[in-house]
Amino acid sequence: MKLSIIKTITLIVAVAILATIGGVSATWYYSTGTVEAVEEDVKLTVFPWEGSEQLPDDVAGEDHMHLIEEILNGTYTDENGNTTAIGLNNPNSYLNQEIDRRSSNWLMSSDVLGSMDFWEREDINKYFDTSTNNLTFVIYFPEGVDDTYYLYTTSIVLGGQNAPNIPVNEIIYPVYRTILQKNAEGIFEATKTECGYARSAYYSNPITGSIFVKYPSFNPSSWQAGNRGEDFDTAIYTYNGQTQTAYFDGANARYYGIELSAQTVLSVSTASTTAKIAIYNENKKLANLRTGEQNTNEMTFVANAGKQYYIVVKDSSPVTFTVSTAQTA
């Protein structure tokens, strides 16, 4: 989750040059014959901002910072070379048009736009590239407020229509909230990011609500800052078939919880050669394994119906692991 060395150096240089401003009025002098002062406005988004170091950027398809930059200043070029503005900092952009439609049209009244929106997901999926294709986002724009929006991003795969991977009202973690605010020049910029969690919910489409078209999302108003998965009591909800990345952020381990409705032989594995995974039963005791050994990177066990099990992952760097039905003879 930590920024790469190259990115870190780039950020340090950028901050040293730009300090903390989002828009800069610069004067450039050219000494070719007569010296004249040429003044130009240069609008720049400054990295980092408060809390931005928490955002994952070192797992394929989970570059939250790039997604935020696209939401602020992005453009899209199609196969014919036509360019479309998609970011908040272009008044006529795709995002601004969608926000305006939801804010000003009583038939479509809504204060959120999410990547799972039934009517907009085709455009959203087209506009955001492969460095962010494993991310889901919701933009919350409070009624009557046009200078502060809230962007929620997560890499948790929420599921398909009428089939949430995380049951409604269960906690989804991690969900990052980034505050987007206009600066003195009227330019949106990211000002603060926090890691937290929110309750699973169906997305409320502006036309049909969530009655006829049910796509899994989360409730932005339920979001709270804080870490999960630091012990058994705050175990992160996981499910059969999920591949996810454990981020440690100084913690010794991440705890995940799983409970199935039918007895299943589960496999838990990672390609990491340094990660250690252990399985615990509902009594928080090491479970009996079917294959493999505790504190290794691959094992199987029998998960009995209606029983809680815990998967504990340890390492010093992010670990992508998979929970799936074991292939048995």
Side-chain angles (χ1 to χ4, degrees):
M1 184 183 298
K2 301 300 182 184
L3 299 177
S4 65
I5 293 175
I6 294 176
K7 183 179 289 185
T8 302
I9 294 173
T10 303
L11 298 182
I12 292 172
V13 172
V15 172
I17 296 173
L18 300 173
T20 59
I21 55 177
V24 182
S25 179
T27 301
W28 304 90
Y29 294 93
Y30 302 90
S31 56
T32 55
T34 303
V35 178
E36 296 181 356
V38 179
E39 183 174 299
E40 296 181 5
D41 275 340
V42 182
K43 302 301 183 184
L44 299 165
T45 300
V46 180
F47 296 117
W49 58 86
E50 182 183 350
S52 62
E53 72 281 356
Q54 302 177 74
L55 292 167
D57 67 346
D58 50 5
V59 174
E62 297 184 20
D63 192 338
H64 294 244
M65 289 184 72
H66 181 77
L67 175 59
I68 292 168
E69 177 61 23
E70 289 295 291
I71 286 173
L72 290 172
N73 302 308
T75 59
Y76 168 76
T77 303
D78 64 21
E79 63 275 9
N80 298 317
N82 301 314
T83 299
T84 301
I86 61 174
L88 293 174
N89 282 324
N90 185 307
N92 298 316
S93 71
Y94 166 77
L95 287 181
N96 280 316
Q97 289 178 17
E98 289 304 316
I99 289 172
D100 182 63
R101 283 206 303 164
R102 286 160 170 74
S103 301
S104 60
N105 187 334
W106 68 270
L107 287 173
M108 296 183 60
S109 180
S110 176
D111 56 9
V112 296
L113 172 63
S115 57
M116 69 293 294
D117 189 289
F118 176 76
W119 312 103
E120 296 301 322
R121 58 199 177 100
E122 183 176 341
D123 280 337
I124 289 173
N125 289 335
K126 175 176 67 177
Y127 290 148
F128 296 96
D129 66 24
T130 55
S131 66
T132 60
N133 62 1
N134 290 338
L135 298 180
T136 295
F137 72 83
V138 172
I139 302 174
Y140 167 52
F141 36 95
E143 183 179 358
V145 178
D146 62 4
D147 61 355
T148 303
Y149 297 160
Y150 301 87
L151 172 64
Y152 301 84
T153 58
T154 184
S155 60
I156 301 300
V157 179
L158 302 180
Q161 185 172 6
N162 297 316
N165 289 329
I166 313 295
V168 170
N169 209 41
E170 184 65 62
I171 290 175
I172 298 173
Y173 176 89
V175 178
Y176 297 90
R177 187 185 75 167
T178 300
I179 300 174
L180 309 178
Q181 289 183 306
K182 286 184 179 179
N183 62 22
E185 288 77 33
I187 304 300
F188 271 107
E189 57 187 13
T191 60
K192 184 178 182 179
T193 290
E194 293 180 280
C195 180
Y197 49 92
R199 297 281 179 178
S200 173
Y202 284 116
Y203 178 75
S204 182
N205 288 283
I207 297 177
T208 60
S210 58
I211 299 175
F212 303 108
V213 181
K214 293 180 177 289
Y215 273 89
S217 182
F218 48 84
N219 182 357
S221 65
S222 71
W223 184 89
Q224 297 182 55
N227 291 325
R228 303 284 295 180
E230 296 182 326
D231 51 36
F232 289 109
D233 295 334
T234 61
I236 302 164
Y237 187 96
T238 191
Y239 58 87
N240 186 11
Q242 184 175 26
T243 295
Q244 65 177 303
T245 303
Y247 296 98
F248 300 100
D249 299 326
N252 294 323
R254 276 283 178 257
Y255 291 71
Y256 296 83
I258 188 167
E259 182 178 331
L260 303 178
S261 59
Q263 186 179 67
T264 308
V265 180
L266 287 181
S267 168
V268 184
S269 61
T270 176
S272 170
T273 58
T274 58
K276 295 180 179 180
I277 299 175
I279 310 298
Y280 291 80
N281 60 27
E282 62 180 345
N283 298 317
K284 302 173 185 176
K285 305 294 184 183
L286 286 172
N288 294 322
L289 299 181
R290 182 161 180 169
T291 63
E293 298 180 359
Q294 297 280 12
N295 292 306
T296 59
N297 66 347
E298 185 174 4
M299 63 202 66
T300 66
F301 68 101
V302 178
N304 292 315
K307 300 295 184 180
Q308 179 78 28
Y309 292 86
Y310 300 94
I311 302 165
V312 181
V313 184
K314 297 180 180 180
D315 207 342
S316 58
S317 57
V319 174
T320 300
F321 69 99
T322 299
V323 180
S324 60
T325 301
Q327 300 299 313
T328 57

